[in-house]
Amino acid sequence: MTTESFRIDGHDVHEHVVTAPLDHAGVVPGTVEVFAREYVRDGQRDAPRLVFFQGGPGNPANRPDVIGGWLDRALEEFRVVLLDQRGTGRSTPLDRQSLTGTPAEQARYLRHFRADAIVADAELLRAALGGDTWAALGQSYGGFCLTTYLSQAPQGLREVFVTAGLPGIATTADDVYRATYAQTAVRNAEFFARYPRDLVTAQRVADHLESTEEFLPTGERLSGRRFRTLGIALGQVSGFDALHFALEDPFTAGGRLRERFLLEVGRRLSFAPHPLYALVHESIYAQDAATNWSAERVRGEFAEFALDAPTFRFTGEHVYPWQFDEDPALVPLREAAHLLAADASLPPLYDADVLARTTVPVAAAVYVDDMFVPYAFSQATARAIRGARTFVTNEYQHDGLRMDGRRLLDVLFALARR
């Protein structure tokens, strides 16, 4: 391991890099670098560590410019390790520039970027840092990773805290998308009830895009179906207002879409900052079965999300095969994505027997109205993890940790230690 350190405002910051095998089973050759940034508050140099698993998949850990919220609270008790999951941030970032080889080689490479490999990377890092057990906090997909951690390497964990991230341990991708489409429909109805004029605006934009060529700053034509994917914002507390602001006054006097509107839409829709999200999003639900573009197939079961439905609806956290035809950041990775979607050999990520016997204290915040992680599945998983305690609330959407992190950690720390 290599480490570089510096000081900021009462904290030591250590930037760690370890080298991990691409395939922890040792079958496929190659290595990846794993990066983590550790914050240590003055007076806490002997405190236990807490490792943070970011949501995603495919997103790097926080780059805080101000230490506040949940991080400030955690630093009162822990040295905090912000882990860049492999393929993100400085952990051998994966994109169209770095993912080389034939589509078949790319797909085989992508198999090694799921939660099982992320957990094994974390264990390598923990050993390099001295081998003491650490606490772990997982937001959204980070909680999925921690459920895998509890299944595969519980000996590395002293406490586990999850926010909006208890996965269904025996659910399929189809199960997940049926639940999330239903909740996305609810959120659409709530959004347009708050902003009824936006329903007219969104429908007008979608109709316009079917008949008129409009181009995003990255050069590609914006389609009506891609415009609908802006609805991912509906899953966040702040997302309603942000989407409302994005939709205000999108047309020029001449009936074309304004440049500033296209700039904002392009910023929101491009996968260039996190292509791994699109590539592996469905595979995080794959366990000995191919997903076969589940979100696209299951969408057909919900008439309200049809392109010709009488009432406009945004889609949510759903990735579609045609996005690999329309997003320039994804087009070079199209064939690999299709091969990964057809892969029926991705192994299970969770072990129900191990979870039922665990002695690691687990506390999880579960949001009743979560648009991305279905409430019923999270509750079932909480019951399946021995001793797990839940804070169930409808006060938050999916981004509760960001919006009210200090309070959430107070609740979860108390729950785990009760």
Side-chain angles (χ1 to χ4, degrees):
M1 181 175 73
T2 63
T3 299
E4 296 182 356
S5 302
F6 56 92
R7 290 271 303 168
I8 58 165
D9 189 24
H11 298 79
D12 293 323
V13 183
H14 308 296
E15 297 185 335
H16 307 297
V17 178
V18 297
T19 300
L22 171 66
D23 177 8
H24 283 274
V27 176
V28 180
T31 61
V32 296
E33 287 193 339
V34 177
F35 172 82
R37 183 175 285 113
E38 179 179 12
Y39 288 78
V40 184
R41 178 162 291 172
D42 290 351
Q44 294 290 347
R45 289 188 176 91
D46 295 323
R49 288 186 171 93
L50 178 145
V51 58
F52 177 65
F53 288 79
Q54 177 64 280
N59 293 327
N62 307 48
R63 264 60 176 172
D65 50 5
V66 175
I67 295 177
W70 75 262
L71 179 58
D72 184 57
R73 173 64 182 90
L75 285 166
E76 293 174 5
E77 299 187 30
F78 296 100
R79 294 173 286 172
V80 177
V81 179
L82 303 179
L83 173 68
D84 280 353
Q85 298 162 23
R86 57 169 54 196
T88 75
R90 287 178 56 186
S91 292
T92 308
L94 191 151
D95 55 28
R96 60 181 174 173
Q97 295 173 308
S98 62
L99 190 59
T100 59
T102 67
E105 291 168 338
Q106 293 173 347
R108 284 195 294 272
Y109 189 76
L110 288 166
R111 286 173 53 91
H112 303 290
F113 284 78
R114 298 201 308 155
D116 46 3
I118 293 167
V119 167
D121 291 344
E123 279 293 276
L124 275 183
L125 176 62
R126 184 178 68 85
L129 291 171
D132 293 338
T133 59
W134 54 14
L137 169 64
Q139 158 64 19
S140 187
Y141 178 65
F144 290 30
C145 292
L146 289 184
T147 307
T148 300
Y149 210 147
L150 285 163
S151 297
Q152 297 185 358
Q155 69 279 0
L157 298 166
R158 58 186 295 155
E159 297 176 297
V160 166
F161 312 104
V162 175
T163 57
L166 283 182
I169 60 175
T171 52
T172 67
D174 287 12
D175 296 330
V176 171
Y177 291 126
R178 287 189 182 100
T180 57
Y181 273 120
Q183 190 61 30
T184 302
V186 171
R187 294 294 284 170
N188 269 273
E190 292 172 348
F191 175 74
F192 289 125
R194 181 185 297 182
Y195 302 115
R197 187 176 298 178
D198 287 355
L199 179 59
V200 177
T201 300
Q203 185 67 67
R204 183 185 173 197
V205 170
D207 292 343
H208 173 79
L209 291 172
E210 293 305 314
S211 61
T212 306
E213 290 188 337
E214 297 280 7
F215 294 89
L216 294 174
T218 38
E220 77 274 24
R221 181 179 178 178
L222 174 62
S223 67
R225 62 185 180 180
R226 193 170 172 209
F227 165 69
R228 283 169 167 82
T229 65
L230 285 174
I232 192 171
L234 298 177
Q236 301 175 356
V237 171
S238 59
F240 272 34
D241 290 339
L243 184 56
H244 171 64
F245 298 147
L247 290 171
E248 65 184 6
D249 195 25
F251 287 97
T252 68
R256 301 301 298 267
L257 292 178
R258 294 188 187 278
E259 184 174 15
R260 69 168 182 258
F261 175 77
L262 292 169
L263 282 166
E264 177 64 14
V265 169
R267 180 188 69 81
R268 288 172 170 269
L269 295 185
S270 175
F271 278 105
H274 47 224
L276 189 59
Y277 176 99
L279 283 163
V280 303
H281 189 267
E282 289 203 352
S283 75
I284 69 175
Y285 304 115
Q287 300 188 89
D288 288 333
T291 62
N292 289 320
W293 296 114
S294 175
E296 177 82 347
R297 289 185 293 99
V298 172
R299 182 177 183 172
E301 301 175 15
F302 292 82
E304 62 264 52
F305 290 104
L307 295 180
D308 58 355
T311 302
F312 178 93
R313 287 294 182 259
F314 287 110
T315 56
E317 193 182 36
H318 307 102
V319 175
Y320 302 105
W322 48 261
Q323 288 175 283
F324 288 83
D325 299 320
E326 298 188 13
D327 187 334
L330 300 181
V331 169
L333 309 173
R334 174 176 50 211
E335 297 307 316
H338 284 295
L339 290 171
L340 192 62
D343 191 341
S345 64
L346 294 171
L349 295 167
Y350 315 115
D351 189 320
D353 291 336
V354 174
L355 293 173
R357 298 192 308 267
T358 188
T359 58
V360 179
V362 177
V366 178
Y367 308 146
V368 175
D369 301 320
D370 200 316
M371 198 174 95
F372 304 140
V373 181
Y375 167 74
F377 300 159
S378 293
Q379 285 290 74
T381 296
R383 291 190 295 270
I385 299 174
R386 180 175 181 264
R389 294 176 172 140
T390 56
F391 169 55
V392 178
T393 179
N394 62 0
E395 297 174 77
Y396 306 112
Q397 291 296 323
H398 193 68
D399 55 347
L401 185 66
R402 180 169 62 86
M403 302 301 292
D404 200 10
R406 172 170 281 274
R407 183 217 175 189
L408 277 175
L409 286 199
D410 280 341
V411 170
L412 295 182
F413 289 175
L415 267 180
R417 297 161 187 172
R418 198 166 65 192

